[in-house]
Amino acid sequence: MSFDWMESKTPKKPSSAKAQVVRELEQRAAMLYRLGYDVGYVTRRCLTNLHWEFEGLGDPPISDTDVERLVVKRFKT
């Protein structure tokens, strides 16, 4: 007997680490933007969180410049 809740609904091809990090940073920047923080604070907060998450694991899959561009892009929309 098969149960649908026993079948995995996850995609077969996992997302790359960089795509996951970018998506999380976009969501964080959007949330902080909606809360009324300025672009400087949001950039610093995103960079600090990114470096904290990868502390001891090596370099993050996204550069600091890319994070700054992502935040600025969010504030332009």
Side-chain angles (χ1 to χ4, degrees):
M1 178 182 255
S2 176
F3 297 100
D4 61 346
W5 51 267
M6 291 179 73
E7 301 296 324
S8 176
K9 302 268 193 258
T10 57
K12 299 295 181 195
K13 182 181 172 188
S15 299
S16 70
K18 183 175 180 176
Q20 291 175 356
V21 169
V22 168
R23 185 173 46 247
E24 190 273 333
L25 286 169
E26 287 173 342
Q27 291 173 353
R28 183 181 310 272
M31 178 189 64
L32 293 170
Y33 172 77
R34 288 189 305 269
L35 289 172
Y37 291 102
D38 67 348
V39 68
Y41 176 80
V42 174
T43 303
R44 286 189 307 274
R45 178 80 179 259
C46 287
L47 285 170
T48 302
N49 287 347
L50 178 68
H51 290 289
W52 179 79
E53 289 173 6
F54 285 90
E55 184 177 346
L57 299 175
D59 293 331
I62 185 171
S63 70
D64 291 358
T65 306
D66 291 337
V67 173
E68 291 170 5
R69 287 183 191 139
L70 185 142
V71 171
V72 168
K73 180 179 142 185
R74 175 64 191 124
F75 272 77
K76 286 184 178 180
T77 60

